[in-house]
Amino acid sequence: MHYYRYSNAEVSCWYKYLLFSYNIVFWLAGVVFLGVGLWAWSEKGVLSDLTKVTRLHGIDPVVLVLLVGVVMFTLGFAGCVGALRENICLLKFFCGAIVFIFFLELAVAVLAFLFQDWVRDRFREFFENNIISYRDDIDLQNLIDSLQKANQCCGAYSPEDWDLNAYFNCSGSSYSREKCGVPFSCCVPDPAQKVINTQCGYDVRTQPKNKWDESIFTKGCIQALEGWLPRNIYIVAGIFIAISLLQIFGIFLARTLISDIEAVKAGHHF
């Protein structure tokens, strides 16, 4: 025997349009992410030559933007149409995908905590690969510069990591003007300068190491991030909890609407 919220089984308009509103936000956000990603690729000429993505040693940040956009667009579309048309297949797809993403996030967080050394090694490899491709992609370059400036760090473990890049390498075979230097984002900012000096890192590593900290950051970004996390653990935990609650709320709305639709369909058989 089944018990419903109403004397007669019916689909709740409240849950139906609340789920639609919930998903329209994600669908519109997905459209924005896709638009920004495709615009960035068109500016870099990737749309006319997709092999540029595969030739990049590091990661193109636009790929992440597009991936997030595709996921948000697809789930938002399934949720919106599923709610409006009362389509159980689309609602189950939406609900199942959100459940999968929720447990995937939870598993990644737990594994990252349990295997910190492995995560640290993978992040070092990731950062070093992106150092190699620093001059190959403008978006990747801006991402690394932002990371180094925000955390006041340079390289993965030290400024010497920039030897991995052909332009900053100190070997005798390099004829780059940036040889034995570092990107400007490694430089200690001068409060008196109102204009960013993009050449402040030139020839810095030709000086004795004990003088490097006078002009550039000598701490690696991995150590900087390891120090940043404990200081901001409550912010990180708050963001994770907020995202989890949004996902659980979406799952609740979808499952409630599915139950209403199934109840109405079951009632039609009598």
Side-chain angles (χ1 to χ4, degrees):
M1 185 174 181
H2 298 280
Y3 295 92
Y4 305 113
R5 292 185 304 276
Y6 317 102
S7 56
N8 296 317
E10 62 181 70
V11 176
S12 169
C13 290
W14 170 253
Y15 286 109
K16 176 178 178 177
Y17 290 107
L18 189 58
L19 181 62
F20 172 78
S21 302
Y22 175 93
N23 280 281
I24 196 68
V25 174
F26 288 97
W27 182 77
L28 291 174
V31 171
V32 171
F33 274 96
L34 286 174
V36 170
L38 292 174
W39 171 79
W41 264 6
S42 67
E43 289 292 304
K44 295 191 292 187
V46 175
L47 292 180
S48 58
D49 183 10
L50 292 176
T51 59
K52 288 183 178 180
V53 178
T54 59
R55 293 200 300 266
L56 187 66
H57 291 288
I59 185 171
D60 185 352
V62 177
V63 173
L64 296 178
V65 173
L66 288 172
L67 182 61
V68 172
V70 168
V71 172
M72 294 183 72
F73 179 89
T74 303
L75 292 181
F77 178 81
C80 285
V81 177
L84 285 179
R85 302 297 298 172
E86 299 178 7
N87 187 302
I88 291 181
C89 290
L90 287 176
L91 290 173
K92 285 185 175 181
F93 168 76
F94 166 78
C95 188
I98 295 295
V99 169
F100 173 76
I101 292 172
F102 174 78
F103 282 107
L104 182 64
E105 292 169 350
L106 191 61
V108 168
V110 172
L111 292 174
F113 178 77
L114 295 176
F115 301 99
Q116 295 181 30
D117 291 337
W118 183 88
V119 172
R120 189 181 296 109
D121 291 341
R122 299 292 79 76
F123 184 77
R124 175 183 57 78
E125 292 176 5
F126 171 78
F127 201 93
E128 289 177 349
N129 286 334
N130 286 302
I131 285 176
I132 294 172
S133 304
Y134 177 76
R135 290 297 189 202
D136 298 341
D137 184 86
I138 187 63
D139 293 317
L140 176 61
Q141 182 176 315
N142 291 333
L143 179 63
I144 293 176
D145 284 336
S146 299
L147 178 65
Q148 293 191 145
K149 285 191 292 186
N151 293 280
Q152 297 185 346
C153 58
C154 188
Y157 281 104
S158 74
E160 292 180 310
D161 291 329
W162 283 98
D163 270 335
L164 295 170
N165 186 277
Y167 295 93
F168 298 101
N169 190 283
C170 278
S171 65
S173 59
S174 175
Y175 296 99
S176 169
R177 178 62 190 88
E178 295 176 309
K179 177 181 177 180
C180 273
V182 292
F184 75 94
S185 55
C186 285
C187 296
V188 176
D190 184 355
Q193 286 185 343
K194 295 184 179 180
V195 179
I196 296 176
N197 179 10
T198 57
Q199 300 180 358
C200 60
Y202 284 14
D203 304 319
V204 167
R205 290 188 293 126
T206 59
Q207 303 173 12
K209 287 187 178 180
N210 58 5
K211 292 187 177 181
W212 285 5
D213 57 2
E214 297 176 4
S215 53
I216 63 172
F217 304 120
T218 55
K219 180 173 59 177
C221 289
I222 292 179
Q223 295 98 312
L225 290 173
E226 287 177 343
W228 177 89
L229 186 58
R231 294 194 307 269
N232 298 274
I233 189 64
Y234 293 112
I235 296 176
V236 174
I239 292 172
F240 180 79
I241 292 172
I243 293 173
S244 299
L245 289 176
L246 278 174
Q247 291 172 332
I248 292 171
F249 182 60
I251 294 168
F252 166 75
L253 290 177
R255 287 305 311 167
T256 302
L257 191 57
I258 289 171
S259 298
D260 282 357
I261 296 170
E262 288 177 340
V264 170
K265 287 185 176 181
H268 289 167
H269 294 162
F270 296 97

